[in-house]
Amino acid sequence: MSVTIDNVKKIAKLSKISLSDDEVKSFLTDLNKIIDWVDQLTDVDTDKVSPTFSSFGLEEDTNQRNDVIKDGGCRDAIISNAPNSEDGFFLVPKVID
Amino acid sequence: MSNLLKGKTGDWEIVIGIEIHAQIISQSKLFSGSSTLFGSEHNTQVSFVDAGMPGMLPVINSVCIEQAVKTGLGLNAKINNFSIFDRKNYFYPDLPQGYQISQFEQPIVGNGEIMIDLDGNTIKKVRIERLHLEQDAGKSLHDQHPSYSYVDLNRSGIALMEIVSMPDMSSAEEAQAYIKKVRNIMKYLQTCDGNMDEGSLRADINVSVRKPGNELGIRCEIKNVNSIKFIGQAIEYEAKRQIDIIEDGKVIKQQTRLFDPKKGQTRAMRSKEEAHDYRYFPDPDLLPLVFTDEFVESIRKTLPELPDLKKQRFVDEYGLSPYDAGLLVSEKDTADYFEIAATGSNSKLVCNWIAGELFSFLNKENKRIDESPVTPVNLGKLINLIDNGTITGRIAKDIFEMMFKSGDDPMTIVDSNNMRQVSDEGEIEKIVDLIITSNPDQVKALEIKPNLMGWFVGQVMKETQGKANPKAVNEILIKKLIIKD
Amino acid sequence: MAKLNELCLHEARDGLKNKSFSSRELITDHIDMMESSRSLNAFITETPEIALKSADSSDEKISKNTNGPLEGLPIGVKDMFCTKGVLTTASSKMLSNFIPPYESTVTNNLWDNGAILLGKLNNDEFAMGSSNETSFYGPVINPWIKNNDKSPLVPGGSSGGSAASVAAHIGVGSLGTDTGGSIRQPAAFTGSVGLKPTYGRCSRWGIIAFASSLDQAGPITRNVKDNSILLESMCSHDLKDTTSSSKEIPNFEKAVGKSIKGLKVGIPLEFIQDGMSDEILKMWENGKEWLKKSGAEIVDVSLPHTKYALPCYYIIAPAEASSNLARYDGVRFGHSVSSDDINNMYELTRSDGFGEEVKRRIMMGTYVLSSGYYDAYYLKAQKVRSLISNDYNEVFNKVDVLLTPSTPNSAFAINEKYDDPLSMYLNDVFTVPANLAGLPAISVPSSKDKNGLPLGLQLIGKPFDEETLYSFANIIEESSSFESIDNKWWLQK
């Protein structure tokens, strides 16, 4: 499969990355090279293979939390890095539904 | 079918599927230890995980898993012992991670079904496609500032169950009955409080229309309609809108719409107009959710009696009509109230009093049944007083009103207000004699108009302030005025 | 008197314990070295004040005999670990102003054990790179240079600062993260010992995520024993990380020096590559010989899906990264470019805040997850990953460890591969499989190439069997008598 200009523009949009025309071209070249190379995976027969979900052993007991409140109440810390905030709210350009 | 809508070109059928987003009852969030309490000050129930800070990781709340399984069992659904958490990727200011953790291809609960009650007697089956766990998003406030939205993440990460129905409903009433039933089941299970005002239960309604027998039409999704009443309005508006469009020769655009309760209309959502590609993939921070059959069975053992079974039991055990039983079980609190009140009392009378006086007083005062000043024990006592002749039915209504005001025991009210029924025939006879002698004209008129008898009964009751045993009054009046012995 | 920063971790530890010198003295020498080595660009943030203050408190603990296992020892930390109150950038413009209000579990474990933060180390932006050239803060310079050509070399990546600082004797050890070789490759390029533990051995909580199913923290040190000591303090069963193991944490130091007699070493034939240099082949041969001499048995084994590991990795890692990096949207933290439109703000912020390689991987990851391509790429890769893991499971029924080269070549020059992403990716060819299968793996210096640059051997072990890796690595270390840098050409007067 090869990547098209439209693919690049669409994935840039989905990724929320704006690209100049030159960047679109250079990403197109890069992605095509990479995609060509990873296409060798099609040589592998995976018909009866299930995908890996994690390299963490599923036989291990996974961590779960008890239903207790032991976090939150740290608004100042939560807000401390915010580029734009007021009265303990994060501010963003107006969003209209 | 009775649910068809008339259009210019003939009859139309509405097809409705519903996605319910039900907030799980839990102390803490689905993947973090912050509180789920409603109404706290903004951004105070937010952990670093909920704010999507760099390096933060989700760890699942075990109670939320149990709640989802319990709800699945309550919806008679298949529980999947292996399920996957996926990331649904999209950008939105109230979605801190840039993705919502949800379940896509392998949800925790699969196919199920419930029965919905329609107009008292008809029952219809609605199939459930699935139930999955997911995180709630935060909230953007748009009216604080002319050019900014304010983001509050208190809701971010709260556990939701998304319950997806099959498109089995064909009218606003059915949709409403479905939501009420699911809500009721969850309230019985105590897995969701069902409070639509606080947003702990929200519904997205998928509506399409078709000519009967045709293939499914193009659907529109109406988002977050936050009351049962609005759900009805939204469906009716939307169905009509779609029929008008098709009948005008145009095509329905599949879209997400919002219901505007002020106008009673739906409109397309701007933020959803962009084409989406959510790029679901298994969340590598979480592992597949795996549990044993024994775990499911241990939860099944904790299930309470659910509405359908309770209704049948009320019919069998208390001799109620299916209609009355259905009415009582439609809210768990009502059913519980009934069972306490009916212990040792006439269950039919108890039912009538709950459906009549109690509901009308609660409505007037805008109270829930669990807030009723008349306790179920006291209502039971009141009914026993009627049943054993201590008071008359008429006076009982006055007593009930006093009980509702004061919360007092009915016997206390009866005693302190001298409201016992007068059954002493001598006493009643004296009053009857007095009325006969002081109303000779009416006695005469009775000979031509036999229905004047009611007037005499009324006079006696008036004289006794409603305390006279109505049966005794009747017998004595007949004896004195008709048989004239 | 020799400067105290010449001491390795366990020497410094023992010296402090014997009160041969104080932690303040040790830290002061390391701070001096850090400051006079700024030309290497290994540190993004130096924290001398914190270090000196901690040193005094360590000295007090040592005097009261309440010292922890790493008491008073200076450690550099890769800038992927969130450190409370200390700038944490992931070497990205995107986080160039981010001060975490929390401490990562791994660093927290170290401070609990008495270790001291020396500073935050440069790395490839968001750990995406194999040369440390993608950092917003500029490339790190390898303290090693060729015998006859003084042009600056890369230290490898992404933990370039971690490896370079340890090789340059700044800090007794450092923390790195390894997603596809980011600890082992720079360790090999700088003549250091770098271990990627089993997935789940170290908590990921508080480490800025690149690819969640592959990321693991690990130690970089100047010798094997030091490595084992540092690892033990890093590990814990962390309930804040779903994938943190509850397995018991062994005394790793005890494994160093243990006999390997009778144990089996697998040589995976598929790792022999076309065009592999004689030097690499010879180094590998030497490794076999040393292990054989120590009583291990050498067995040829096959890992048939080896050649698919790299393409598989370059689908899975970008896919996870594209989602992990969605949180950098300019709303809650980090770099933000303002606009009156939300989508515009996102796009401007992310275009300006991310460097080219990060954007390339986000784009690649978005592509392989997008509708119509998911099955062909992402799902396919996760299936191939299962086959790769199976290869290893089967091989480990027969052998105790695998021996391979760490990298196909020694350190290359700055800018040499920067413009060709694919040739850069090929650097990870030997290291990636251990990440895909979640296995522990270590790189140990074994020899120098004809230009005098270090080369490393890699040992891959069974899940949660870091101990065996340390036993074997120790044999290689002893047999190779690899000597660390003596020409400190970069020092500023």
Side-chain angles (χ1 to χ4, degrees):
Chain A
M1 271 186 253
S2 72
V3 186
T4 64
I5 287 267
D6 284 347
N7 286 147
V8 173
K9 286 182 177 163
K10 184 195 153 195
I11 56 183
K13 193 130 209 118
L14 284 173
S15 316
K16 301 285 182 206
I17 291 174
S18 70
L19 297 179
S20 68
D21 288 350
D22 283 350
E23 284 174 311
V24 170
K25 273 186 214 149
S26 95
F27 275 118
L28 179 68
T29 314
D30 289 349
L31 291 185
N32 263 321
K33 263 196 218 164
I34 301 168
I35 288 290
D36 273 353
W37 172 66
V38 300
D39 268 338
Q40 61 181 296
L41 292 189
T42 52
D43 299 346
V44 189
D45 178 6
T46 51
D47 278 358
K48 287 176 189 135
V49 183
S50 21
T52 296
F53 291 106
S54 172
S55 47
F56 192 73
L58 288 187
E59 70 282 358
E60 271 213 58
D61 270 348
T62 60
N63 295 328
Q64 296 191 347
R65 280 187 320 103
N66 293 325
D67 185 27
V68 281
I69 299 164
K70 46 178 186 181
D71 223 329
C74 52
R75 182 163 74 191
D76 290 347
I78 294 287
I79 293 285
S80 63
N81 279 283
N84 200 357
S85 67
E86 198 175 287
D87 298 336
F89 285 103
F90 299 102
L91 263 58
V92 294
K94 198 150 198 131
V95 188
I96 306 153
D97 269 335
Chain B
M1 268 205 278
S2 56
N3 283 334
L4 297 181
L5 279 187
K6 285 247 179 294
K8 284 184 290 197
T9 60
D11 286 343
W12 291 88
E13 188 185 337
I14 318 179
V15 179
I16 304 163
I18 297 180
E19 291 164 20
I20 291 176
H21 298 263
Q23 177 178 336
I24 290 178
I25 295 177
S26 67
Q27 297 293 309
S28 61
K29 295 181 178 178
L30 182 55
F31 296 114
S32 86
S34 22
S35 167
T36 59
L37 200 69
F38 177 81
S40 304
E41 214 186 311
H42 61 275
N43 286 324
T44 56
Q45 294 180 176
V46 185
S47 70
F48 299 130
V49 176
D50 309 317
M53 302 290 273
M56 293 299 97
L57 297 171
V59 179
I60 191 147
N61 181 338
S62 56
V63 163
C64 294
I65 300 171
E66 289 166 24
Q67 294 284 63
V69 170
K70 203 181 250 189
T71 307
L73 292 171
L75 300 172
N76 308 303
K78 180 176 181 299
I79 308 299
N80 295 325
N81 293 28
F82 182 95
S83 67
I84 304 275
F85 286 104
D86 295 285
R87 292 185 182 177
K88 178 182 183 181
N89 294 286
Y90 64 98
F91 286 86
Y92 206 72
D94 59 19
L95 189 73
Q97 296 157 306
Y99 54 85
Q100 178 196 33
I101 305 177
S102 181
Q103 297 191 294
F104 185 48
E105 279 184 341
Q106 290 174 270
I108 185 167
V109 175
N111 290 342
E113 60 180 50
I114 60 166
M115 306 306 276
I116 59 171
D117 303 278
L118 302 165
D119 59 48
N121 294 309
T122 328
I123 281 174
K124 178 173 175 169
K125 183 167 88 181
V126 176
R127 291 167 301 158
I128 308 283
E129 185 190 317
R130 59 188 279 163
L131 174 156
H132 68 250
L133 282 164
E134 65 182 26
Q135 303 177 293
D136 204 351
K139 208 172 160 186
S140 301
L141 309 172
H142 305 301
D143 46 9
Q144 313 278 313
H145 192 281
S147 47
Y148 288 107
S149 292
Y150 284 46
V151 181
D152 172 15
L153 298 178
N154 276 354
R155 291 198 68 93
S156 165
I158 283 182
L160 302 180
M161 296 178 280
E162 180 171 327
I163 303 166
V164 183
S165 83
M166 300 293 264
D168 283 355
M169 288 147 282
S170 56
S171 70
E173 292 70 36
E174 288 183 12
Q176 289 170 321
Y178 168 78
I179 291 174
K180 279 188 199 159
K181 188 60 176 276
V182 173
R183 179 172 70 172
N184 196 27
I185 290 170
M186 293 190 295
K187 283 169 89 168
Y188 270 69
L189 296 166
Q190 305 211 323
T191 55
C192 171
D193 68 20
N195 191 328
M196 295 185 90
D197 295 337
E198 293 178 2
S200 33
L201 192 140
R202 279 121 62 190
D204 299 340
I205 321 280
N206 283 297
V207 178
S208 64
V209 296
R210 64 174 169 191
K211 286 283 171 74
N214 283 8
E215 277 187 19
L216 285 177
I218 296 166
R219 64 189 164 86
C220 287
E221 183 182 9
I222 314 168
K223 278 253 172 237
N224 284 343
V225 200
N226 63 3
S227 84
I228 302 263
K229 192 175 117 197
F230 293 157
I231 286 164
Q233 291 178 9
I235 291 171
E236 272 159 16
Y237 175 86
E238 180 61 20
K240 197 171 169 314
R241 186 187 73 88
Q242 292 185 12
I243 292 169
D244 288 348
I245 290 175
I246 301 171
E247 291 193 329
D248 280 354
K250 292 180 211 136
V251 178
I252 305 286
K253 215 166 115 191
Q254 177 159 359
Q255 58 187 184
T256 307
R257 301 179 66 84
L258 268 186
F259 179 69
D260 180 342
K262 282 186 202 122
K263 294 185 185 152
Q265 297 176 349
T266 65
R267 62 168 171 85
M269 260 177 101
R270 286 192 228 180
S271 58
K272 296 277 174 180
E273 273 174 8
E274 241 181 88
H276 274 284
D277 183 344
Y278 290 123
R279 289 158 285 137
Y280 284 99
F281 75 107
D283 190 330
D285 286 331
L286 294 160
L287 297 166
L289 196 52
V290 185
F291 42 74
T292 59
D293 290 341
E294 289 74 54
F295 171 75
V296 178
E297 287 317 306
S298 74
I299 288 176
R300 196 190 299 276
K301 283 195 192 110
T302 69
L303 292 191
E305 183 183 37
L306 290 170
D308 290 349
L309 282 178
K310 202 184 276 285
K311 179 180 170 187
Q312 191 53 49
R313 183 168 61 81
F314 280 12
V315 171
D316 296 344
E317 202 170 293
Y318 296 104
L320 301 178
S321 69
Y323 177 85
D324 283 346
L327 188 81
L328 292 175
V329 303
S330 67
E331 289 281 350
K332 180 168 186 294
D333 290 339
T334 307
D336 290 346
Y337 188 101
F338 166 79
E339 289 220 79
I340 299 169
T343 307
S345 309
N346 179 325
S347 48
K348 275 200 147 136
L349 272 180
V350 170
C351 175
N352 293 343
W353 274 79
I354 289 174
E357 297 297 305
L358 182 62
F359 278 180
S360 98
F361 274 88
L362 289 172
N363 266 341
K364 244 183 278 170
E365 304 253 322
N366 205 9
K367 282 194 159 91
R368 296 193 313 266
I369 196 162
D370 60 321
E371 300 169 326
S372 166
V374 178
T375 65
V377 171
N378 281 344
L379 181 66
K381 283 184 187 170
L382 179 68
I383 277 147
N384 285 343
L385 291 176
I386 305 169
D387 234 20
N388 65 24
T390 309
I391 54 171
T392 65
R394 215 191 104 186
I395 207 92
K397 295 198 175 176
D398 299 337
I399 297 172
F400 184 88
E401 188 170 352
M402 293 160 89
M403 288 165 76
F404 201 89
K405 275 196 192 115
S406 64
D408 284 347
D409 184 298
M411 207 50 222
T412 317
I413 296 173
V414 168
D415 284 343
S416 57
N417 295 287
N418 189 24
M419 294 168 112
R420 276 171 190 272
Q421 172 163 273
V422 179
S423 300
D424 177 342
E425 294 195 7
E427 204 174 320
I428 296 172
E429 224 172 302
K430 259 190 245 164
I431 295 164
V432 169
D433 286 344
L434 188 76
I435 288 168
I436 291 174
T437 45
S438 46
N439 293 289
D441 293 352
Q442 299 286 24
V443 174
K444 219 174 195 139
L446 182 69
E447 286 170 17
I448 326 156
K449 286 196 228 160
N451 55 0
L452 259 182
M453 196 62 167
W455 181 85
F456 284 96
V457 175
Q459 291 302 303
V460 178
M461 294 312 269
K462 200 169 155 191
E463 200 63 34
T464 59
Q465 291 153 314
K467 289 181 291 186
N469 181 329
K471 201 169 148 230
V473 172
N474 258 319
E475 279 168 13
I476 292 167
L477 279 170
I478 288 168
K479 193 172 76 183
K480 299 256 172 186
L481 289 169
I482 304 200
I483 307 170
K484 294 185 184 172
D485 62 17
Chain C
M1 190 179 118
K3 295 273 247 171
L4 293 172
N5 63 297
E6 293 301 314
L7 301 174
C8 72
L9 189 150
H10 69 267
E11 291 165 348
R13 175 188 68 176
D14 297 345
L16 285 171
K17 212 185 287 170
N18 303 335
K19 305 193 173 67
S20 309
F21 45 83
S22 68
S23 172
R24 179 168 261 273
E25 289 167 316
L26 177 69
I27 295 292
T28 304
D29 281 0
H30 277 278
I31 291 172
D32 285 349
M33 191 62 182
M34 175 166 70
E35 288 174 349
S36 50
S37 301
R38 283 182 182 147
S39 59
L40 297 178
N41 198 27
F43 285 82
I44 289 173
T45 306
E46 298 175 356
T47 55
E49 296 87 0
I50 297 175
L52 287 169
K53 209 175 145 208
S54 310
D56 290 342
S57 123
S58 284
D59 282 330
E60 205 181 315
K61 282 187 188 146
I62 293 167
S63 72
K64 288 181 187 160
N65 282 324
T66 54
N67 46 309
L70 297 179
E71 198 65 57
L73 298 174
I75 303 288
V77 173
K78 188 180 185 181
D79 221 12
M80 297 296 284
F81 292 81
C82 289
T83 41
K84 191 172 179 174
V86 177
L87 181 70
T88 298
T89 69
S91 297
S92 179
K93 184 177 185 182
M94 190 58 99
L95 287 176
S96 52
N97 55 2
F98 177 59
I99 313 245
Y102 45 86
E103 185 78 33
S104 85
T105 299
V106 167
T107 49
N108 203 43
N109 290 345
L110 290 194
W111 317 147
D112 280 353
N113 277 314
I116 291 173
L117 174 67
L118 194 55
K120 299 298 291 293
L121 293 158
N122 201 343
N123 50 259
D124 278 299
E125 185 180 2
F126 281 101
M128 298 178 193
S130 309
S131 66
N132 215 114
E133 292 169 285
T134 69
S135 168
F136 173 64
Y137 295 89
V140 175
I141 310 297
N142 195 331
W144 289 85
I145 40 172
K146 292 181 183 172
N147 292 332
N148 43 12
D149 175 358
K150 304 300 174 200
S151 51
L153 303 175
V154 303
S158 65
S159 310
S162 304
S165 62
V166 166
H169 294 87
I170 316 165
V172 296
S174 67
L175 300 190
T177 60
D178 189 319
T179 306
S182 284
I183 287 174
R184 291 158 287 157
Q185 186 251 20
F189 278 14
T190 60
S192 314
V193 177
L195 174 114
K196 180 201 91 75
T198 312
Y199 186 79
R201 186 62 107 176
C202 290
S203 167
R204 292 185 295 116
W205 194 89
I207 300 172
I208 295 170
F210 161 16
S212 312
S213 76
L214 303 159
D215 295 345
Q216 241 329 262
I220 298 179
T221 54
R222 289 195 286 278
N223 57 56
V224 174
K225 184 172 180 167
D226 288 0
N227 206 277
S228 70
I229 296 166
L230 191 49
L231 176 65
E232 192 169 329
S233 285
M234 293 169 69
C235 299
S236 61
H237 177 215
D238 185 6
L239 295 174
K240 292 186 289 191
D241 174 1
T242 305
T243 60
S244 165
S245 171
S246 58
K247 288 217 162 57
E248 204 190 321
I249 297 148
N251 182 334
F252 293 117
E253 194 178 348
K254 275 195 180 151
V256 180
K258 230 174 122 184
S259 161
I260 58 165
K261 205 164 179 172
L263 295 181
K264 286 182 185 163
V265 183
I267 306 297
L269 298 175
E270 289 80 2
F271 276 59
I272 302 167
Q273 305 246 312
D274 289 345
M276 206 175 212
S277 77
D278 290 346
E279 281 178 319
I280 298 284
L281 288 168
K282 182 156 177 282
M283 168 191 74
W284 202 355
E285 277 309 314
N286 285 341
K288 289 186 218 170
E289 283 309 308
W290 296 331
L291 298 179
K292 211 193 264 176
K293 258 187 217 154
S294 300
E297 187 188 334
I298 309 293
V299 188
D300 283 343
V301 295
S302 171
L303 295 162
H305 296 93
T306 296
K307 76 177 257 207
Y308 301 108
L310 207 51
C312 179
Y313 172 84
Y314 275 97
I315 290 171
I316 293 167
E320 292 183 10
S322 71
S323 175
N324 281 336
L325 270 59
R327 67 190 60 202
Y328 305 104
D329 59 5
V331 176
R332 281 149 289 109
F333 42 77
H335 183 63
S336 186
V337 180
S338 57
S339 164
D340 55 8
D341 174 77
I342 183 75
N343 275 309
N344 222 11
M345 179 188 117
Y346 288 150
E347 291 189 357
L348 294 174
T349 297
R350 291 167 62 80
S351 301
D352 194 48
F354 290 137
E356 199 188 338
E357 179 62 21
V358 172
K359 284 188 221 175
R360 191 180 291 125
R361 298 213 194 177
I362 291 175
M363 298 275 291
M364 174 74 185
T366 303
Y367 180 72
V368 298
L369 288 175
S370 66
S371 145
Y373 302 98
Y374 179 88
D375 288 358
Y377 292 111
Y378 182 78
L379 191 63
K380 180 81 184 182
Q382 289 290 27
K383 288 179 174 179
V384 173
R385 183 179 183 180
S386 299
L387 293 173
I388 293 167
S389 297
N390 285 346
D391 285 356
Y392 282 84
N393 289 342
E394 283 187 20
V395 155
F396 280 123
N397 288 328
K398 295 176 218 150
V399 301
D400 298 288
V401 288
L402 296 167
L403 180 73
T404 78
S406 300
T407 56
N409 44 258
S410 61
F412 44 89
I414 287 190
N415 284 329
E416 190 180 322
K417 301 190 178 188
Y418 187 66
D419 290 330
D420 184 357
L422 208 50
S423 83
M424 189 69 92
Y425 296 173
L426 294 173
N427 246 278
D428 303 331
V429 63
F430 299 138
T431 48
V432 150
N435 298 82
L436 289 172
L439 302 170
I442 192 169
S443 175
V444 205
S446 63
S447 58
K448 290 174 189 161
D449 71 1
K450 58 179 183 294
N451 294 315
L453 297 179
L455 293 171
L457 278 167
Q458 174 179 239
L459 291 155
I460 304 173
K462 296 177 181 174
F464 296 100
D465 192 13
E466 288 85 358
E467 288 167 282
T468 301
L469 291 186
Y470 282 133
S471 304
F472 274 86
N474 178 243
I475 304 288
I476 292 174
E477 181 175 61
E478 285 182 348
S479 314
S480 73
S481 46
F482 179 90
E483 277 173 26
S484 67
I485 292 180
D486 51 16
N487 170 20
K488 299 199 168 64
W489 54 271
W490 65 87
L491 285 182
Q492 288 157 337
K493 306 270 153 53

